[in-house]
Amino acid sequence: DTAVSQTPKYLVTQMGNDKSIKCEQNLGHDTMYWYKQDSKKFLKIMFSYNNKELIINETVPNRFSPKSPDKAHLNLHINSLELGDSAVYFCASSQGEGQYGYTFGSGTRLTVV
Amino acid sequence: DQQVKQNSPSLSVQEGRISILNCDYTNSMFDYFLWYKKYPAEGPTFLISISSIKDKNEDGRFTVFLNKSAKHLSLHIVPSQPGDSAVYFCAASPGGSQGNLIFGKGTKLSVKP
């Protein structure tokens, strides 16, 4: 039973399209995150939500919009996809703000062509 | 600007020997440090952590050492096993109420039988 699950695992799409990545956690954690791993392999925070409320919004283009319908879900919607958006996107969760034991999903590899 | 640096992209060791993975950081406000392990096509998994008030934390074959004056931490794996072959990420937290982790670029460890 997967603790943090992301769908889809792979996503290939054309420039200009709009796509969504879904994330669900069944750990009862209060905080969820989106991280991006780019071609240089850095894992960078994009967003953090605590109990459905946005806590962290790093310098991310506003084409990226997270949505948290409840504390178990944090979806990522991306408008007008660009080539530079190609990366692996990881969802993660933790027990709360300031709690450091993240549980990561297995990642979504997004390729924009 | 990389606040967490892992200067060795790869490391190869013989089974049974010690593996030492290094990490340097620049922000003296970091108060918590973690190591994550990542296998291909999977998300990072939490391995071991250390608070800035300690200089050593041990868990089985894994030991993390923190040298605050040098802003350096290291992960020792003894004895190394082929199953330890993975990418190891060092991460640091800037403290406060936010659980945002800042990751290094990772070091790929290969343990040869």
Side-chain angles (χ1 to χ4, degrees):
Chain A
D1 194 21
T2 306
V4 179
S5 59
Q6 296 178 230
T7 53
K9 193 169 180 64
Y10 299 96
L11 183 54
V12 181
T13 188
Q14 290 189 327
M15 281 175 55
N17 284 350
D18 303 339
K19 289 293 178 186
S20 292
I21 306 171
K22 294 185 176 182
C23 179
E24 175 182 5
Q25 55 96 2
N26 62 8
L27 298 165
H29 286 169
D30 290 332
T31 308
M32 295 185 72
Y33 312 84
W34 278 108
Y35 273 79
K36 177 181 179 181
Q37 186 179 32
D38 59 23
S39 58
K40 295 181 180 177
K41 304 301 181 187
F42 282 108
L43 270 166
K44 291 182 181 176
I45 183 77
M46 299 175 70
F47 300 103
S48 165
Y49 268 73
N50 182 263
N51 270 319
K52 302 191 300 174
E53 291 193 12
L54 180 66
I55 303 299
I56 295 172
N57 181 354
E58 290 295 316
T59 310
V60 176
N62 57 16
R63 297 182 294 104
F64 290 79
S65 53
K67 286 187 171 49
S68 182
D70 54 60
K71 76 172 193 177
H73 296 83
L74 181 61
N75 304 322
L76 184 64
H77 188 77
I78 315 170
N79 289 328
S80 303
L81 277 155
E82 299 177 358
L83 292 176
D85 297 331
S86 297
V88 182
Y89 293 84
F90 287 99
C91 178
S93 71
S94 67
Q95 278 191 299
E97 291 181 84
Q99 299 298 318
Y100 308 107
Y102 288 14
T103 302
F104 280 87
S106 58
T108 296
R109 181 173 292 278
L110 171 65
T111 303
V112 183
V113 297
Chain B
D1 180 30
Q2 296 178 50
Q3 296 188 65
V4 178
K5 301 179 187 180
Q6 293 178 257
N7 293 320
S8 298
S10 63
L11 174 68
S12 182
V13 299
Q14 208 67 32
E15 181 179 5
R17 301 280 188 136
I18 185 171
S19 296
I20 300 176
L21 297 104
N22 293 303
C23 178
D24 297 295
Y25 62 95
T26 58
N27 189 341
S28 57
M29 297 302 291
F30 287 148
D31 69 350
Y32 210 81
F33 303 89
L34 305 89
W35 286 93
Y36 281 79
K37 176 179 178 180
K38 183 183 180 303
Y39 292 117
E42 294 183 13
T45 55
F46 170 73
L47 190 58
I48 192 169
S49 64
I50 188 166
S51 164
S52 60
I53 62 173
K54 296 187 177 181
D55 55 19
K56 178 182 175 181
N57 187 27
E58 191 172 350
D59 183 2
R61 297 185 297 114
F62 302 91
T63 303
V64 56
F65 294 92
L66 175 62
N67 182 335
K68 283 183 65 179
S69 60
K71 293 193 179 71
H72 177 84
L73 64 155
S74 60
L75 174 67
H76 293 211
I77 307 173
V78 179
S80 301
Q81 299 173 353
D84 296 329
S85 297
V87 176
Y88 289 78
F89 288 96
C90 172
S93 171
S97 62
Q98 293 186 353
N100 177 25
L101 291 180
I102 299 170
F103 285 83
K105 210 170 168 179
T107 296
K108 184 176 182 179
L109 173 66
S110 299
V111 180
K112 300 187 186 307

